[in-house]
Structures are given as C-alpha cells and as structure tokens.
C-alpha cells in the first residue's frame, strides 16, 4: 500500500477535469468508479460544484455557526491524495472505498466533503481522493500538517492488518517515533525521476497540443476565408444573373410587345359587334369579313409571340441554372482540394512529429551560419597564406 499526498489546489473544477476524465480528452474511460462522502449527491460533477460552493461561502458558514472570521483567506481549499495497491493485489471497489474512507479519517477529514475516483489505466489499482478542507457545517478549514508521515503510518497499520510487511517503512516509522529525522532518499529520487519524466511528457504533450491547435486554427481560418470568398462569388453571381435576367426580360418585353396588336384586335372586335345600318353596310361591302380575318391573324400572331417569349425565358433560365451549377461545381472542387491540402499537411506534420517551426528554424539557421563561418574562416586563412607568400617575394628580390 502506498499513500501519496499529491498536494492542494484552488479549483475544484480543475480537479474534476483531471480526475474525472482521461488525460487531454473529454472521455472518462479510465474512471473505474466514483463515490461521494458527506454530500447529498452521487454525481461527481455535481459534487465538485457543491464543494466549490462550500469553499466560496466559507465566511457565511462561519457567521451562521457563530465562528469568528479570523485568519487569512483560504487560498487552496482543495486537498488531494492517492492510495495505490501493489500490481499483484486486486481489491474490489467496496474495499477501495472503505480503505479511502479510513485514510480520510486518519487525516482528520472524516466530516468533510470528499469525492473518491478510482482509475484502471495502470497495472496497479489506485484511487484518488479529493477533499474539501472547508467544513460544510461551521466553515473552518482543516489544518493539514505532516500528511505524508500520517499516511505512511496509516499505510503501515493497513499492511499489518492485511498481513503485508514493508520492512523499510516499518524501520523508518520506528526511527521517526524515536525522534530521528528520516528521509526516504530512494523514494524521493524515484518521485523526482517520475516527476521529471512527467514534466517532459507534459511539455511534449503541451507542445503537440499547441501545434495541433495552431494548425487547426490555420485550417479553420483557411476554410473560413474560402467560405467567405465562395459566398462573395455566389452573391456576385446572383446579382449578375438578376441584372442579366432583368435586362433580357426587358428586351424580350420590348421585342414581343403585343399591346398595339391587342388594341387593334379590340377595335376590330368592337367594329364587328356594331349592329344596325353600320353593321349592315359593313356586311354588304365585305368589310366585316376582312375584319374577322384580320382578327384571326392578329390572335395567331399574339399567341405565337407569347409562346416565343415563354420559350426564350425558359432558355434563359436554363442557361443561368447551368452557369450557377458550373460555379457551384468549381467551388465544390476547390473545397475538396483545400480539404485534401489540409489533410496532407496534417499527415506531413504528424510524420515530422509535430515539430515547431519556431524551434526548428533557428537551429537550421544556426547550423548554416556556423557552416558559413567555417567556410569563411578557411577562405580567410587561405587568403592570408597567399598574401604572405606574395609579400615574401619582393622582400627576397630586394
């Protein structure tokens, strides 16, 4: 059993994001189980918000409980520690919860709000404990000191209870009880190495994440610019087509104007409908038959003009639709080419290991500069040697 104090913090939201999710992701596949203590909810996300509320209203809780508001404001209400079992051990969730509850009680935090989070992403079972230092009843902050030694003694008692013996821990705790100051240098060295490895890994992950974010921002800006350009071209095309349609319709209306023929047809029909002596005279002279024939011819002319007008408008609409389809196809092709370029760039950068141009370029320039300096130094040395030989010649002649 190893009890490791992982320190304190100021944000319950940050602790929830780290312990309740996978690393650098929104998923929670590594979370095996969760458990809450002294809270009215079993939802760990809600529990984190409740603990944050308790820490935020510490002064109100003190005032309601009649506790004097003295001392400095608590800056780190979050306290976390971890309990891990050996790789060969396989405790169930109930045993892990009971063990975590015992460790919390050993630290004097049994009445405080806490969330237990079990992970299964390593070869050894372990549980993380997030405790609120602010008491939910009277608002006092728990005073934590020498939590590592307390957890070490508690772990020794746990191992004795379960028939496990860690001789180094037993010897170190015995010497501490006698007043000796014992430091486990091996554990500190191991922790320092692990922290160094974690920091380098974290730095690499941060660099990769930053490069991915920069690349994604570049791709988004590129796509946004392309979309804006596409929209501008479509708007310009629509305005051009609307103007062209209006111009052609005006030209068609002028070309196929049947208003005069329609007025003449109306006059002929009025003349044909006249009765009495005038109508008899028109029938007698043959004017009525001529007017009827002219009326039929005008009706045919008007119908033909309207039909040609409709056909011309239909042809114009088909032409404009074809132009719009061509423009959309071209834009679609450009979008596909951009997506392919972005994918190729992403694949190339992944093959290169997400190297930063800010770090790689200066190194390349420095190497080239040093190479140029070496070449320049060799050249100057050759010039000096040649110059020295030229200066020695005249001196020999004199």
């Amino acid at each position: 059993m190893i009890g490791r104090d992982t320190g304190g913090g100021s944000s319950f939201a940050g602790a929830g994001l780290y312990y309740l999710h996978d690393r650098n992701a929104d998923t929670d596949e590594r979370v095996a189980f969760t458990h809450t203590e002294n809270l009215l909810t079993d939802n760990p996300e809600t529990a984190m918000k409740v603990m944050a509320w308790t820490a935020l209203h510490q002064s109100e809780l003190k005032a309601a409980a009649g506790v004097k508001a003295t001392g400095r404001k608590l800056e780190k209400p979050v306290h976390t520690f971890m309990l891990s079992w050996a790789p060969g051990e396989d405790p169930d969730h109930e045993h892990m919860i009971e063990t975590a509850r015992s460790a919390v009680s050993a630290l004097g935090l049994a009445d405080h709000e806490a969330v237990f989070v079990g992970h299964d992403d390593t070869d050894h079972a372990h549980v993380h404990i997030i405790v609120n230092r602010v008491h939910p009843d009277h608002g006092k902050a728990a005073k934590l000191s020498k939590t590592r030694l307390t957890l070490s003694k508690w772990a020794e008692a746990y191992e004795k209870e379960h028939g496990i013996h860690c001789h180094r821990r037993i010897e170190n705790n015995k010497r501490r009880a006698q007043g000796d100051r014992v430091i486990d240098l091996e554990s500190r060295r191991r922790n320092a190495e692990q922290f160094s490895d974690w920091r380098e890994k974290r730095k690499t992950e941060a660099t990769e994440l930053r490069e991915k974010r920069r690349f994604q921002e570049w791709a988004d800006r590129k796509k946004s610019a392309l979309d804006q350009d596409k929209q501008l071209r479509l708007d310009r095309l629509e305005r051009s087509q609307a103007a062209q349609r209006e111009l052609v319709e005006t030209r068609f209306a002028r070309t196929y104007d049947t208003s005069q023929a329609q007025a003449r047809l109306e006059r002929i029909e009025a003349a044909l409908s006249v009765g009495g002596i005038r109508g008899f005279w028109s029938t007698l002279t043959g004017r009525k038959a001529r007017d009827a024939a002219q009326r039929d011819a005008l009706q045919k002319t008007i119908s033909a003009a309207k039909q040609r007008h409709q056909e011309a408008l239909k042809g114009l609409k088909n032409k404009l639709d074809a132009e719009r389809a061509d423009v959309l196809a071209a834009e679609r092709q450009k979008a596909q080419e951009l997506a392919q370029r972005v994918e190729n760039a992403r694949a190339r950068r992944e093959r290169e290991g997400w190297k930063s141009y800010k770090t790689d370029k200066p190194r390349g320039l420095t190497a080239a500069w040093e190479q140029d300096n070496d070449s320049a130094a060799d050249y100057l040395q050759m010039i000096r040697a040649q110059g020295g030989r030229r200066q020695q010649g005249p001196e020999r002649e004199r």
Side-chain angles (χ1 to χ4, degrees):
M1 165 63 66
I2 296 178
R4 179 176 299 174
D5 189 340
T6 51
S10 59
S11 174
F12 286 97
L17 287 174
Y18 179 77
Y19 292 110
L20 296 176
H21 299 87
D22 296 333
R23 295 178 181 177
N24 301 324
D26 296 333
T27 57
D28 56 355
E29 296 180 358
R30 68 170 179 166
V31 178
F33 69 91
T34 59
H35 176 76
T36 60
E37 286 285 323
N38 301 317
L39 289 161
L40 299 179
T41 178
D42 293 332
N43 189 336
E45 301 283 353
T46 306
M48 291 295 178
K49 295 180 181 179
V50 173
M51 290 195 290
W53 186 94
T54 302
L56 184 64
H57 296 79
Q58 181 184 10
S59 57
E60 288 86 344
L61 293 174
K62 285 185 176 180
V67 179
K68 293 183 179 180
T70 58
R72 295 182 301 175
K73 182 179 179 181
L74 183 62
E75 296 180 355
K76 295 183 177 182
V78 186
H79 188 77
T80 61
F81 63 95
M82 180 185 69
L83 303 179
S84 60
W85 284 258
E89 299 175 348
D90 189 17
D92 56 8
H93 296 170
E94 293 297 331
H95 179 75
M96 295 174 73
I97 292 173
E98 291 296 330
T99 306
R101 188 181 290 124
S102 174
V104 170
S105 178
L107 293 176
L109 303 173
D111 297 332
H112 288 247
E113 299 168 336
V115 175
F116 304 160
V117 183
H119 289 171
D120 57 1
D121 57 340
T122 59
D123 57 350
H124 58 276
H126 63 281
V127 58
H128 297 273
I129 297 93
I130 305 116
V131 188
N132 188 359
R133 291 181 58 190
V134 179
H135 198 281
D137 295 334
H138 49 69
K140 288 184 179 181
K143 296 181 179 180
L144 299 176
S145 61
K146 299 182 179 180
T147 54
R148 294 183 179 179
L149 298 180
T150 304
L151 286 176
S152 178
K153 293 179 180 179
W154 170 87
E156 181 181 351
Y158 173 87
E159 292 174 348
K160 288 181 179 179
E161 181 182 357
H162 292 81
I164 305 172
H165 297 282
C166 181
H167 300 286
R168 178 177 295 178
R169 175 181 289 134
I170 296 173
E171 182 65 25
N172 290 340
N173 288 334
K174 186 182 297 184
R175 291 175 57 189
R176 292 188 185 104
Q178 295 175 359
D180 295 341
R181 186 169 180 268
V182 181
I183 299 176
D184 191 354
L185 297 179
E186 182 65 23
S187 299
R188 290 201 174 186
R189 183 191 61 79
R190 186 168 57 252
N191 293 338
E193 291 178 354
Q194 293 177 357
F195 176 75
S196 178
D197 296 340
W198 172 84
R199 184 172 57 185
E200 292 298 328
K201 183 179 179 181
R202 184 68 174 173
K203 187 185 300 182
T204 304
E205 292 176 352
T207 302
E208 293 179 358
L209 184 62
R210 184 168 58 251
E211 290 298 323
K212 288 181 180 179
R213 189 181 295 115
R214 286 176 53 196
F215 179 77
Q216 190 62 39
E217 291 176 354
W218 170 83
D220 293 341
R221 287 196 302 269
K222 192 73 173 178
K223 186 176 182 300
S224 177
L226 182 64
D227 293 340
Q228 292 179 0
D229 190 23
K230 175 182 177 181
Q231 189 62 36
L232 288 175
R233 283 197 294 270
L234 289 178
D235 294 342
R236 192 160 53 244
L237 176 64
E238 291 179 356
R239 290 195 299 268
S240 175
Q241 288 181 346
Q244 186 178 1
R245 188 181 298 108
E246 183 179 0
L247 177 62
V248 173
E249 288 178 355
T250 304
R251 187 183 304 163
F252 285 173
R254 194 183 307 116
T255 303
Y256 303 104
D257 187 11
T258 59
S259 58
Q260 296 180 0
Q262 191 72 28
R264 187 177 178 185
L265 179 62
E266 292 176 358
R267 289 196 300 270
I268 291 173
E269 289 178 349
L272 290 174
S273 63
V274 174
I277 298 174
R278 188 176 177 183
F280 176 74
W281 176 255
S282 297
T283 304
L284 184 64
T285 57
R287 182 179 179 83
K288 187 174 183 179
R290 289 194 304 271
D291 289 345
Q294 192 173 6
R295 179 195 60 186
D296 295 339
L298 284 173
Q299 287 179 348
K300 292 180 180 179
T301 303
I302 292 172
S303 299
K306 288 182 177 179
Q307 184 176 0
R308 290 197 305 271
H309 188 198
Q310 294 297 329
E311 291 177 354
L313 289 179
K314 186 176 180 181
L316 174 64
K317 183 177 181 301
N318 294 335
K319 180 182 177 181
L320 294 179
D321 290 343
E323 291 180 357
R324 182 177 180 82
D326 294 339
V327 172
L328 291 177
E331 295 297 335
R332 194 177 298 109
Q333 181 66 24
K334 289 183 180 179
Q336 293 177 356
E337 292 177 356
L338 175 63
Q340 186 63 34
R341 288 172 55 194
V342 170
E343 186 62 28
N344 294 338
R346 180 181 290 109
R348 184 177 64 254
R349 290 167 67 84
E350 288 180 355
R351 289 195 303 269
E352 294 175 356
W354 299 98
K355 294 180 180 178
S356 174
Y357 294 112
K358 289 186 177 181
T359 57
D360 291 344
K361 192 172 182 180
R363 286 201 297 268
L365 289 176
T366 303
W369 180 259
E370 292 176 354
Q371 185 177 1
D372 292 342
N373 286 341
D374 294 339
S375 301
D378 295 341
Y379 180 73
L380 289 176
Q381 185 176 2
M382 181 183 68
I383 292 297
R384 290 193 186 98
Q386 293 178 357
R389 288 196 296 270
R390 284 198 296 267
Q391 291 177 2
Q392 291 174 6
E395 291 178 357
R396 290 199 188 96
E397 291 177 359
R398 286 197 298 269

